[in-house]
Amino acid sequence: SAVISQKPSRDICQRGTSLTIQCQVDSQVTMMFWYRQQPGQSLTLIATANQGSEATYESGFVIDKFPISRPNLTFSTLTVSNMSPEDSSIYLCSVEGGLAGVTDTQYFGPGTRLTVL
Amino acid sequence: TQLLEQSPQFLSIQEGENLTVYCNSSSVFSSLQWYRQEPGEGPVLLVTVVTGGEVKKLKRLTFQFGDARKDSSLHITAAQPGDTGLYLCAGARSTGGFKTIFGAGTRLFVKA
């Protein structure tokens, strides 16, 4: 399985500012995913990021609020823009990988815990 | 809209007890994953089940995929405090584009 790191691991930010979260993978992967996990909740997919194309956003998430970059096959960033307290969550990146012949298992980074004051 | 219903949402048991967590859906999945997440960390993959009726064992954990690939269960035997955490099931569909649906999670607390 891939080794995934995220930076920062946590941050406390002021309302109205933006934060960029980085995700680094130790191997080349085609698909990377960004999730949000609000306190006590399960995971909600924000968008899918493929290298060389624009990210595909899920319903309720827009590029202006959550711009994503995917400059190469091992790296991606998610920016949380114009933050409000409602954006306080854990943000997780994940990659697709897994068993031979089964490519739909996801592996997750450690997450970025964001608190917006 | 695809839903993956996970139950129970919360479980508090004594050390040594057995428990079962269920995930159910009306949709067919190409595979189903179970994850465990501890506070401050990302979900860690426990198992992937692919074949209908498949049973996998991981020490005291037994995972089963339903015959129709619409449901799954996680059974823990003789639970220990170290099993405490958030358990998530996730169903994956490869047709019509890659898509993974997560259950709401089961928060397990095992008391010593």
Side-chain angles (χ1 to χ4, degrees):
Chain A
S1 61
V3 177
I4 306 166
S5 60
Q6 284 185 236
K7 287 195 296 187
S9 58
R10 57 176 61 228
D11 207 342
I12 301 173
C13 301
Q14 295 297 320
R15 180 196 299 261
T17 62
S18 297
L19 175 72
T20 295
I21 302 167
Q22 299 179 8
C23 181
Q24 180 75 52
V25 189
D26 69 343
S27 57
Q28 293 185 341
V29 293
T30 303
M31 301 177 77
M32 294 180 76
F33 307 89
W34 287 99
Y35 285 85
R36 182 173 72 183
Q37 186 176 29
Q38 295 179 304
Q41 303 294 315
S42 185
L43 279 65
T44 301
L45 181 63
I46 297 172
T48 302
N50 292 332
Q51 195 268 336
S53 63
E54 286 195 1
T56 303
Y57 289 83
E58 297 298 304
S59 176
F61 298 96
V62 295
I63 188 171
D64 290 345
K65 176 68 176 177
F66 296 101
I68 288 170
S69 78
R70 183 80 202 275
N72 57 54
L73 291 173
T74 63
F75 187 78
S76 179
T77 68
L78 169 75
T79 299
V80 186
S81 303
N82 188 25
M83 289 183 284
S84 66
E86 291 72 33
D87 294 320
S88 297
S89 286
I90 298 172
Y91 291 86
L92 295 150
C93 71
S94 74
V95 303
E96 178 194 19
L99 309 174
V102 178
T103 59
D104 49 7
T105 295
Q106 293 190 36
Y107 295 90
F108 288 87
T112 295
R113 182 179 293 274
L114 171 62
T115 302
V116 184
L117 303 177
Chain B
T1 303
Q2 301 175 46
L3 289 176
L4 190 54
E5 297 181 353
Q6 188 172 345
S7 63
Q9 290 191 8
F10 181 79
L11 197 54
S12 180
I13 61 173
Q14 290 292 139
E15 181 177 5
E17 292 184 6
N18 302 331
L19 67 117
T20 303
V21 179
Y22 299 94
C23 270
N24 296 287
S25 176
S26 58
S27 300
V28 176
F29 296 106
S30 56
S31 68
L32 192 139
Q33 289 79 42
W34 285 93
Y35 295 86
R36 179 165 158 257
Q37 184 180 23
E38 297 192 40
E41 299 180 8
V44 174
L45 179 70
L46 295 174
V47 77
T48 296
V49 286
V50 179
T51 307
E54 182 177 5
V55 177
K56 282 191 173 180
K57 292 192 175 184
L58 185 65
K59 296 184 181 178
R60 292 176 293 101
L61 279 60
T62 301
F63 306 86
Q64 186 163 7
F65 202 14
D67 291 341
R69 292 186 290 140
K70 295 181 179 181
D71 56 88
S72 182
S73 63
L74 157 61
H75 183 78
I76 301 179
T77 303
Q80 299 177 1
D83 296 327
T84 294
L86 178 67
Y87 290 82
L88 295 158
C89 63
R93 294 190 67 185
S94 301
T95 56
F98 179 88
K99 192 80 171 182
T100 295
I101 309 285
F102 280 86
T106 296
R107 194 164 297 278
L108 172 65
F109 181 65
V110 183
K111 295 175 281 189

